[in-house]
Amino acid sequence: MFRVLTSNRDFRRLFLAELIVFGADWFVMVPLLLLLNEKTGQGLWGGLALAAETGTVALLLPYAGTIADRFDRKRILITSNLSALVAVVGLLLVHGPWAGPIALVSVAALSGAKAFYTPAANAAMPNLVDRSDLSPAMAVHGSAWGTVTVVASSLGGVVSAWLSPYACFGLVAFGLVGAALLTSGIRRPTQEQGLVEPRPAFAAIAEANRFLRREPRLLALVTVKSAVGVGNGLLATFPLMATAFGVGPRGLGLMFAVRGLGSLVGPFVFRAALARPHWLFPALAISMSTYGIVYLGVSVATWFPLVLAGIFVAHAAGGGNWVMSNYALAQEVPDELRGRVGASDQMIAMLAVTVSQLTVGFFVDSVDVRLLIACCATTTLLYAVGWRLVTRRLPRHGSTPALATAD
């Protein structure tokens, strides 16, 4: 499986750059959540920061996906890295009574850069590997987020406790420069020739939406990530859970690291479904349901190691869900629409995450944390059951429609 990583120079460069970009999220966010609790004395600001991250991405993704289909994807990736660098520098100003608002603006700017980076990276990746290598490449590519969440979350907590949150922000700034340099060395074209077109952005977005409406199977695939999204607000409870169990910054970093480890393992566990199309939709339903059921268990756990085990299993299921749907979309969506369809896919998921995080954020200081976790888990479980009932009669095998079907 890792042959494609060791033998393909361009794929390796993209993968390493993504490790840095995705790692920046949690190497920044874990210290920032702790810093906001310290500076403001409220859990609300942490929930708002998480919501600002996902909400900004959700709002910008439709336009960002259009940009990924109309302009050189390599240049988009490099520009996004440098824009994120500027946003991270803003986090060094999180001090005093304005700590909360400054953090929200900086997080929103960082997320804006990521909103343009992600569709371009996802759309470019299949063009950097041979078609026979797409399945293992997708598994490795899908593990990038989980890999760096393990490292970045745990190190973010440790470095924050050892030095300061501001040291974490400075290290991320240097890392983003490295990501830009890695991407600049990619040689293969990141999109097929002749795909850049002068049409207005909204016309291009409408084209992708028409394409999706005519493909019920693809509609099912772009709504599947929302199951985990509607329960994702429980992340806003992690700092309070760490305080309740008395594990401090290192414990919070460990919780996010275990979450990332699950997301890393999940794509490899569920990879068997990628080679068997008739397994795909049942496996997606199982992954969603597992997330909800396991977090119901976490809501009543009284032993911290058991909480960590539950977080691992839940996010292994969530990581498998993400990669399975991404692989199917990469196979079935034409390259000229891949950026826009991928952006729509992530936008739907991010909107679900944002609503969930805002809801939990507003209640996290007044409602028992365990009840909030149980409510999020139940919402995911109900979504999973409803999704499976609606999609059970859809075709088991996808096709690769021509662009003409969208017009």
Side-chain angles (χ1 to χ4, degrees):
M1 189 179 299
F2 288 96
R3 179 185 58 79
V4 66
L5 186 62
T6 57
S7 63
N8 187 320
R9 174 186 177 278
D10 291 326
F11 176 73
R12 182 169 63 251
R13 279 182 167 269
L14 178 64
F15 180 77
L16 292 175
E18 286 187 315
L19 291 183
I20 295 171
V21 172
F22 296 154
D25 274 356
W26 292 106
F27 201 73
V28 161
M29 191 56 70
V30 171
L32 182 61
L33 291 175
L34 294 167
L35 184 64
L36 287 174
N37 273 348
E38 175 191 329
K39 297 294 184 181
T40 68
Q42 294 180 302
L44 170 64
W45 286 105
L48 290 176
L50 288 169
E53 179 193 23
T54 55
T56 302
V57 172
L59 289 173
L60 291 176
L61 272 174
Y63 185 70
T66 302
I67 295 297
D69 285 338
R70 296 174 63 202
F71 296 96
D72 184 84
R73 290 166 183 164
K74 179 177 171 180
R75 292 183 180 179
I76 296 170
L77 298 177
I78 295 172
T79 302
S80 297
N81 291 154
L82 299 179
S83 300
L85 168 63
V86 175
V88 169
V89 171
L91 291 172
L92 298 173
L93 304 177
V94 177
H95 291 280
W98 289 94
I102 292 172
L104 294 188
V105 171
S106 298
V107 167
L110 179 61
S111 301
K114 185 174 72 174
F116 285 90
Y117 183 92
T118 305
N122 289 342
M125 193 282 293
N127 296 308
L128 300 182
V129 299
D130 298 332
R131 191 166 185 83
S132 60
D133 287 332
L134 184 58
S135 174
M138 286 297 297
V140 174
H141 182 256
S143 72
W145 184 89
T147 300
V148 294
T149 305
V150 174
V151 177
S153 298
S154 52
L155 284 181
V158 170
V159 174
S160 179
W162 179 39
L163 297 175
S164 74
Y166 304 104
C168 295
F169 305 154
L171 289 172
V172 166
F174 282 108
L176 289 168
V177 174
L181 292 174
L182 280 167
T183 305
S184 67
I186 293 175
R187 295 173 182 168
R188 282 198 190 190
T190 53
Q191 58 218 115
E192 295 177 8
Q193 296 300 315
L195 292 187
V196 178
E197 46 188 340
R199 263 185 294 181
F202 288 108
I205 293 170
E207 179 187 34
N209 289 337
R210 288 196 301 272
F211 174 80
L212 283 174
R213 285 198 301 269
R214 296 180 183 183
E215 297 291 333
R217 178 181 163 86
L218 294 181
L219 271 178
L221 289 172
V222 300
T223 56
V224 72
K225 296 182 181 73
S226 297
V228 174
V230 294
N232 203 258
L234 53 81
L235 296 184
T237 70
F238 276 23
L240 299 183
M241 287 182 68
T243 300
F245 279 102
V247 293
R250 290 181 177 84
L252 177 62
L254 188 58
M255 291 169 73
F256 280 112
V258 168
R259 172 184 178 238
L261 182 61
S263 299
L264 168 62
V265 171
F268 299 101
V269 172
F270 283 89
R271 183 171 174 252
L274 302 183
R276 298 168 178 81
H278 61 287
W279 286 14
L280 180 63
F281 277 50
L284 287 169
I286 290 170
S287 67
M288 291 185 280
S289 302
T290 300
Y291 183 95
I293 291 169
V294 171
Y295 261 118
L296 281 173
V298 169
S299 71
V300 297
T302 57
W303 187 39
F304 188 64
L306 190 59
V307 170
L308 294 178
I311 292 172
F312 170 80
V313 174
H315 289 280
N321 173 288
W322 193 276
V323 169
M324 285 187 291
S325 58
N326 276 355
Y327 175 78
L329 289 171
Q331 286 277 71
E332 299 176 30
V333 177
D335 187 73
E336 59 265 37
L337 287 169
R338 195 178 293 143
R340 283 166 281 172
V341 171
S344 296
D345 174 44
Q346 293 193 39
M347 180 196 69
I348 294 168
M350 290 298 102
L351 284 174
V353 169
T354 302
V355 171
S356 181
Q357 289 175 342
L358 280 174
T359 302
V360 174
F362 280 116
F363 288 103
V364 74
D365 291 318
S366 57
V367 177
D368 185 85
V369 167
R370 296 182 181 277
L371 178 59
L372 290 174
I373 294 173
C375 288
C376 289
T378 302
T379 304
T380 292
L381 190 56
L382 292 175
Y383 188 106
V385 172
W387 182 90
R388 185 55 184 150
L389 289 174
V390 170
T391 62
R392 68 188 187 281
R393 298 187 184 278
L394 290 177
R396 295 183 177 185
H397 298 270
S399 58
T400 306
L403 178 59
T405 61
D407 294 324

